[in-house]
Amino acid sequence: MSPPRPRPPPASLRGFLDAHFTCPDDLAATPALAELLRRECAELESSVRRLEAQLASASASWLARSAEARSDLRRLKSSGGGVDAEDEGAETVRNVGLPALVREIQRIDTIRHYAEATLQLEALVGNLEDVTFSIVRQTSKLGLSSILGKSNETECKQGILLHAVNAVRDIEQELLRISTSRPQWISLIMAVDSRVDKTLAILRPQAITDYRALLAALGWPPSLSSPETEKDKYSQVLNPLALMNEENREKYSQSFLALCALQHVQANREVRQCRTAAATPALSGSKYFDKTACFDNGLWAIDELVCPITSRMEYHFTKWSDQPEFIFALVYKITKDFMDSVDDILQPLIDQARLVGLSAKEFWVTGMVKMLVGYLERQIFLALVTSYQGQATIDKSEVHSSWMHLNDLMITFDKRMQLLADSGIQKIASLSEVLSRSLSIFSVYSEHSDWLQIWAAVELSSAQDKLKSEMEKETSWSSSDNLHDQLGHRENSFKFLLSTREDYKAPPVSEFVVKTALSMMERGRALPEKEMQLQYNRTSLIQFLNDFFHVLRDRCEALQLSNMALEDQSLTKASCAINAARYCENVLREWDEDPAFLDGSLFTDEITFLVKLGTNYLEQIMSAILLEFEDLSWEYVQNIGLREQSGLDHETLDEENLGVSPGFVASLDVLTDRTGKLKLYLNSKDFLDLWRSVAEGLDYFIFSSIRWGEVSFAGQGVTQLRVDTKALLSIFRPFCSRPEAFLPFLSDSLRLLTMEKEDAQCLLEMLTDDAKSDNCLRQRGLHHVNASQAAKILRSRKFGG
């Protein structure tokens, strides 16, 4: 009798053996494979034992409760459904037993679902780990020489990688289902994530290594130097990817797609993890909440095209350390030369990978920018910072010049590279803002706030040197372009909608400051983040403006306007500083309101300073004019009405034959001179406020200086006062059609003094009635003097006969 024939192994076992033992050389890996299988079996057996223990415990508990419930139900049935008052067991079953039984059944069902999910995830993760091990094992067999061979090893490996990607995708689907329906199973999710992360930490480097090997076999990177290049004649560099035959193109496409798929599934994992953590306030604002944000740092497949170019480009960079413009020119040239072929070859692959809204051109430009940022950070900026920190202050001019030149090159380079990137497909809005930061060469300052401070200090120093030279020119403070009219000329119209420097009659230096500040702000806008822009502007722009504003204040303080008689030079310099302050204030307000510049309220403190400066020195000019007028007219106002007591009022002259009081002429002449020059020197808005304030101040001074009730105004005294008041009004009449409105007390006083005797006596009697006094004054158009003042004025009127 022949022995029984051995039963053939199952198909799954044959497949496993075929996958791991394809040639005799694979037998060397048998110990490692056996050890891996032993560990996996031990883990599975341990998991099964834990689950069996949990199920046994749950079953025992359920059986005990089930027996107790069955006993209670039998008692209920035997009693006919009624519950005896003494039967506490039946009452317990009704009130406690059944709800508890339901909860216990639900708990057991939950445990069953948890066990099923655990077993399913264990199988999925195990499958992923097996595939990863298979990829690692095959890597040792596949040499570079066989990458482009006719064997199927490369295609097989790409297929295994895609199988691993599908395994990760299956795990993600299950984890997403659990995180949505069973968020309390966070421990299970975290355990699976930990194992998958460890596997991906092996899978991604291996996939990138294989991709690099394929690129090297295809002839990437191309040579950047040629006979024409050595002669400074730059010819276009040929792209090896554009020269691939059909077979190699297919291999490259599969490798590219596999790497994109791996990055895509990694992006999905990060999105799911952040959405799970969204309930936590600290994590809810994560940038990865949107899947497109997972590509902030570039596309792996395109970044690997950039990396091999770096070493070849840096060979040329080292020769141009003192001529960085050549560095930027070479990077731009290489980026542009490959732009069309990158778009033609890689964009269809990105679309095939279903990476919607992603641009091959933009990722190519981003990769080249990141490469250049790394080189500048290691070589150029580090040398500049060392020189800046090592040299004395007086020797830093060369470092400042180099830094400014480098930043000018960076600004120009950024704009050119942005134009290249924007020529791609329409971008997703949420991705565009993030990639625009990666596209900026100024991202070199993101990780080096101290370098940003140095740049701001260099900008400030350069601007201060230029301003110092500008302020030393006498013409910079001259307003001669606004003083072409003769002093006796009077304009009949005012312009109150001021916008330009000429409108504000500001000196040329103020426009120089504004243009310099705008240039500094525009350069700062090259920084990719708002916070960096604000930091730069506070350190450079704001400090520069404050320095100039303090110069304006010091120039006004040096005049000591409130302690001396006003001179032409004082009026000119004070008006010049006030006009400059008002012009700068207007510009800063426009910048604060324009979102195209910066976030609002950046210049709040500076605007407040300028408003206070202008107001303070306008008040000082006004006070000086009033004090000067008071000093010249003091004797006149003290003697108003006293001449009436001499009895010389027998002949009354009319206004046309009566001149201005001699004691009032000098003060009127000085006032005319001051207002005329201020109108010429000062901007129209401030002059309007100034002359009105001066008029109101003079009105109050003259009115309060007359000793009403102690002097007597006869006909000639009233006429003289009217003549003098008209002379005062004539000074302000070129500025206003009704200057009487700004001398209200004198106007009301003359109305009372020129009343007929009967009307005056009647009004005086009515003013004794407190209830009617205010009303009767308002009816006669007297709105400023009160009843007591009006009564004193009427008693000062002397009627003849």
Side-chain angles (χ1 to χ4, degrees), residues 483 486-491 494 505 566-568 571-572 575 618 621-626 628-629 632 666-684 686-698 727-736 739 742-743:
L483 302 178
Q486 297 296 323
L487 292 179
H489 176 71
R490 295 291 181 268
E491 297 179 4
F494 288 93
K505 301 182 180 180
L566 289 177
E567 299 177 355
D568 288 351
L571 285 177
T572 303
S575 299
L618 281 174
I621 293 175
M622 180 190 70
S623 299
I625 292 175
L626 293 176
E628 194 175 28
F629 185 91
L632 293 172
S667 56
L668 293 178
D669 288 344
V670 171
L671 180 63
T672 301
D673 178 72
R674 301 291 182 258
T675 54
K677 291 178 179 177
L678 283 170
K679 181 179 183 297
L680 204 60
Y681 301 148
L682 204 59
N683 68 83
S684 56
D686 284 331
F687 178 73
L688 174 66
D689 294 335
L690 180 64
W691 81 255
R692 288 179 173 180
S693 299
V694 168
E696 292 172 354
L698 294 176
L728 179 61
L729 290 171
S730 66
I731 297 175
F732 302 109
R733 197 167 298 281
F735 319 138
C736 178
F742 301 99
L743 282 81

Side-chain angles (χ1 to χ4, degrees), residues 770-798:
D770 294 337
K772 299 180 180 179
S773 58
D774 290 337
N775 189 36
C776 66
L777 289 175
R778 303 296 177 268
Q779 289 177 351
R780 288 168 173 77
L782 303 170
H783 298 283
H784 293 85
V785 296
N786 56 34
S788 175
Q789 292 170 335
K792 288 182 179 181
I793 294 171
L794 290 173
R795 293 192 185 100
S796 299
R797 178 70 170 93
K798 179 181 178 182

Side-chain angles (χ1 to χ4, degrees), residues 289 385 737 769:
F289 196 78
V385 171
S737 58
D769 187 352

Side-chain angles (χ1 to χ4, degrees), residues 396-635:
K396 288 184 177 179
S397 58
E398 184 176 351
V399 179
H400 286 194
S401 177
S402 299
W403 204 303
M404 295 284 287
H405 178 56
L406 179 61
N407 278 279
D408 288 338
L409 294 174
M410 291 166 60
I411 291 173
T412 304
F413 178 80
D414 256 6
K415 293 178 180 178
R416 298 179 73 189
M417 297 295 276
Q418 188 67 56
L419 289 176
L420 288 180
D422 288 344
S423 63
I425 65 173
Q426 186 67 31
K427 302 182 292 289
I428 296 177
S430 60
L431 184 62
S432 178
E433 181 180 356
V434 176
L435 282 179
S436 65
R437 293 197 294 267
S438 302
L439 282 169
S440 175
I441 199 74
F442 282 86
S443 60
V444 70
Y445 289 112
S446 299
E447 301 298 328
H448 301 279
S449 58
D450 54 332
W451 295 3
L452 181 59
Q453 291 290 340
I454 294 176
W455 177 35
V458 169
E459 289 279 354
L460 176 61
S461 177
S462 174
Q464 287 174 333
D465 291 342
K466 294 177 183 177
L467 178 61
K468 183 178 179 181
S469 300
E470 187 71 18
M471 289 192 299
E472 290 174 353
K473 301 176 184 177
E474 193 61 33
T475 54
S476 297
W477 293 101
S478 172
S479 299
S480 57
D481 54 340
N482 298 318
L483 302 178
H484 58 275
D485 294 333
Q486 297 296 323
L487 292 179
H489 176 71
R490 295 291 181 268
E491 297 179 4
N492 294 322
S493 60
F494 288 93
K495 183 177 181 180
F496 300 115
L497 297 177
L498 310 182
S499 58
T500 65
R501 179 185 68 84
E502 290 76 13
D503 293 340
Y504 280 93
K505 301 182 180 180
V509 68
S510 60
E511 189 164 24
F512 174 85
V513 169
V514 168
K515 289 183 177 180
T516 303
L518 183 59
S519 175
M520 296 172 71
M521 185 187 300
E522 288 293 337
R523 290 164 68 81
R525 291 179 66 184
L527 291 166
E529 297 177 1
K530 286 289 185 182
E531 287 300 323
M532 295 170 63
Q533 293 182 29
L534 292 175
Q535 180 184 353
Y536 162 84
N537 281 291
R538 290 193 180 103
T539 308
S540 59
L541 171 64
I542 298 298
Q543 185 61 48
F544 171 73
L545 292 174
N546 282 328
D547 290 345
F548 176 67
F549 298 157
H550 283 91
V551 169
L552 296 180
R553 184 192 62 187
D554 295 342
R555 286 175 66 89
C556 289
E557 287 183 350
L559 299 175
Q560 297 181 346
L561 297 173
S562 57
N563 298 328
M564 61 183 294
L566 289 177
E567 299 177 355
D568 288 351
Q569 188 178 14
S570 299
L571 285 177
T572 303
K573 288 186 175 181
S575 299
C576 179
I578 292 172
N579 292 341
R582 294 306 194 205
Y583 172 63
C584 292
E585 174 196 342
N586 177 69
V587 171
L588 295 187
R589 290 187 186 277
E590 290 179 353
W591 289 351
D592 252 359
E593 294 170 359
D594 189 351
F597 284 94
L598 288 171
D599 293 336
S601 305
L602 178 64
F603 304 105
T604 301
D605 294 339
E606 286 66 39
I607 292 173
T608 302
F609 180 89
L610 292 174
V611 170
K612 186 177 180 180
L613 185 150
T615 303
N616 285 348
Y617 292 108
L618 281 174
E619 291 178 353
Q620 289 190 26
I621 293 175
M622 180 190 70
S623 299
I625 292 175
L626 293 176
L627 289 173
E628 194 175 28
F629 185 91
E630 179 180 345
D631 184 56
L632 293 172
S633 63
W634 178 253
E635 184 177 354

Side-chain angles (χ1 to χ4, degrees), residues 210-228:
D210 295 340
Y211 183 73
R212 289 174 180 173
L214 177 59
L215 288 176
L218 291 170
W220 186 272
S223 175
L224 303 183
S225 61
S226 65
E228 291 77 9

